[in-house]
Amino acid sequence: MKPRSLLTACLLFMVAMFLAVGCKNPAVYIKTTTEVEAAAVAFSNTTTVNLGFSAWPGWFPWQVAEEKGIFSSKNVAVKLKWFDGYLESISTLTAGQIDANSQTLGDTVSAVAGGVDKVIVLVNDNSTGNDKIIVAPGINSIKDLRGKKVAAEEGTVDHFLLLLGMKRAGLSPQDIQFVPLETGKAAAAFVAGQVDATAVFAPFTTQALRREGSKELFSSKDFPGAISDHLVVSREFLYKHPKEIQGLVDSWFATLDYIRENQDRAYMIMAKRAGVSVEEYKQYADGTRLFSIEENLKAFQPGNNMTSLLYAANEMSKFLNDVGLAKSKPNITLLFDDRFVKAYAQMQANTARGKGKEAGE
């Protein structure tokens, strides 16, 4: 009996060792499996956000977020919707066929003036040169635009920029022959010699400058804060899906971190989406200022110049009235909601404090 008991004990010991080496601790395994399954269930219950964007350097980071899995890392399901025509993205959001869109402050104010209830929840960027007035040979000053054919997309920020420059030079809208064309078509018409000047944004600026002898007359760099770009949602979506909106905002800032740390790879992704070479895309870098969380927080505050969104929106409202694109001043009192950028800033602060405590231990 004794030898048998010893053999049994040895066998049991070997089995126990095998289990210890070959298997995970059951308690740890169960806990880990439960957490993974819970996360999977939570993600599967997340509403898929249909997010629209179009050709603008400040919005190409969304492509990076998708290709590098950043949306899923922030527990938000996103389906990107690319629009060849920028204004189509705005009308699609208005029709409720997408949930969120990338668009300018001016075009959002214009939509609100038309009775649409939209909310700005994030500043993507400010244009600092990527919106340009490009002219044919022989036009050397803004005053030289008098009597000339100038193409732009009516009511957009590039039209706004054109009129800002003309106003500074003492010209009125009636002093030019304005040709209303979609931005891509405006650039093409200029290259074909059908118009004398055009107001376009990147990457269409690259196309327009292919006309022999053409040059930049002035740009958004000359009017700081005049053109800002945003993540915009409908108020209904805001009320129903704040968690998803927070996921979008968190994803945006995580994407900016990725771009800073992996610039070459990020530029390849964005250049491909833009349909230009990486070298051409790099030329856009200085013309678009991607906003940090600190710059976002500041932009949402009241102010007395164009760096304040509220001030800029009021100026845009005046512009829409002046050019006859709005019959009355739009109500912009509920246009901005900064709770999501504030929540992200708080999360970052909490993380920093946590790391500080760990370092002090």
Side-chain angles (χ1 to χ4, degrees):
M1 291 295 295
K2 197 170 183 179
R4 184 179 178 87
S5 298
L6 181 60
L7 179 59
T8 301
C10 290
L11 287 172
L12 289 173
F13 176 76
M14 292 177 65
V15 169
M17 288 296 293
F18 175 78
L19 288 172
V21 174
C23 301
K24 296 181 179 179
N25 185 308
V28 173
Y29 177 76
I30 292 170
K31 180 181 178 183
T32 304
T33 302
T34 302
E35 288 176 349
V36 170
E37 288 178 347
V41 170
F43 188 72
S44 66
N45 289 335
T46 301
T47 297
T48 297
V49 182
N50 294 293
L51 170 60
F53 75 126
S54 49
W56 171 249
W59 299 328
F60 291 134
W62 290 128
Q63 189 70 36
V64 177
E66 180 181 65
E67 294 194 22
K68 304 314 296 183
I70 294 174
F71 290 128
S72 58
S73 74
K74 297 302 177 182
N75 296 321
V76 59
V78 176
K79 182 178 181 181
L80 285 183
K81 169 66 175 175
W82 172 260
F83 290 91
D84 290 319
Y86 164 58
L87 286 188
E88 184 186 355
S89 73
I90 298 175
S91 61
T92 303
L93 179 65
T94 299
Q97 296 172 352
I98 55 176
D99 306 305
N101 192 42
S102 307
Q103 55 191 67
T104 68
L105 174 61
D107 295 316
T108 304
V109 171
S110 179
V112 172
V116 178
D117 199 2
K118 300 294 180 234
V119 186
I120 289 173
V121 297
L122 170 73
V123 183
N124 298 120
D125 67 272
N126 265 198
S127 177
T128 53
N130 276 335
D131 291 87
K132 302 179 186 294
I133 311 304
I134 298 172
V135 297
I139 299 177
N140 301 308
S141 70
I142 297 176
K143 288 188 176 181
D144 289 341
L145 291 175
R146 189 186 300 273
K148 298 294 193 297
K149 291 182 178 180
V150 184
E153 199 157 349
E154 188 173 21
T156 64
V157 288
D158 291 289
H159 186 194
F160 177 52
L161 177 64
L162 170 66
L163 295 183
L164 281 177
M166 289 172 57
K167 183 178 180 180
R168 179 180 286 183
L171 298 183
S172 71
Q174 291 71 38
D175 288 326
I176 63 170
Q177 298 180 54
F178 182 69
V179 181
L181 291 173
E182 182 271 327
T183 302
K185 293 179 180 178
F190 176 73
V191 172
Q194 298 168 359
V195 295
D196 306 299
T198 185
V200 292
F201 55 84
F204 298 105
T205 49
T206 301
Q207 177 185 353
L209 286 167
R210 288 175 182 147
R211 176 171 171 173
E212 187 176 355
S214 64
K215 60 181 177 291
E216 174 189 317
L217 186 61
F218 64 92
S219 76
S220 51
K221 184 178 181 179
D222 301 302
F223 296 88
I227 300 177
S228 58
D229 303 292
H230 307 272
L231 175 63
V232 181
V233 299
S234 68
R235 194 168 305 280
E236 180 181 7
F237 191 79
L238 179 81
Y239 288 153
K240 291 182 177 179
H241 302 288
K243 182 180 71 173
E244 282 74 16
I245 295 175
Q246 189 66 62
L248 287 176
V249 171
D250 293 350
S251 296
W252 176 260
F253 290 114
T255 302
L256 297 190
D257 290 340
Y258 177 87
I259 292 172
R260 280 191 293 270
E261 296 166 6
N262 306 273
Q263 191 176 87
D264 290 344
R265 177 57 189 155
Y267 272 20
M268 287 177 63
I269 294 171
M270 294 188 289
K272 182 178 179 181
R273 178 67 276 185
V276 298
S277 69
V278 172
E279 290 306 311
E280 285 177 317
Y281 193 87
K282 286 180 178 179
Q283 295 174 16
Y284 303 149
D286 293 335
T288 302
R289 182 181 179 87
L290 296 172
F291 264 37
S292 66
I293 183 61
E294 293 79 14
E295 289 169 320
N296 260 269
L297 293 171
K298 183 178 179 181
F300 278 101
Q301 297 301 309
N304 57 6
N305 57 48
M306 294 296 284
T307 61
S308 165
L309 293 177
L310 188 60
Y311 181 92
N314 276 310
E315 290 299 300
M316 183 59 66
S317 298
K318 295 175 185 176
F319 160 71
L320 293 170
N321 285 321
D322 290 344
V323 299
L325 293 174
K327 295 181 179 178
S328 60
K329 186 177 179 181
N331 182 359
I332 59 173
T333 56
L334 299 176
L335 179 58
F336 306 105
D337 193 329
D338 64 352
R339 78 177 99 159
F340 304 101
V341 295
K342 284 182 175 178
Y344 177 82
Q346 186 62 54
M347 179 186 69
Q348 292 296 97
N350 292 342
T351 300
R353 278 195 294 270
K355 290 181 178 178
K357 288 181 179 180
E358 290 178 2
E361 291 177 355

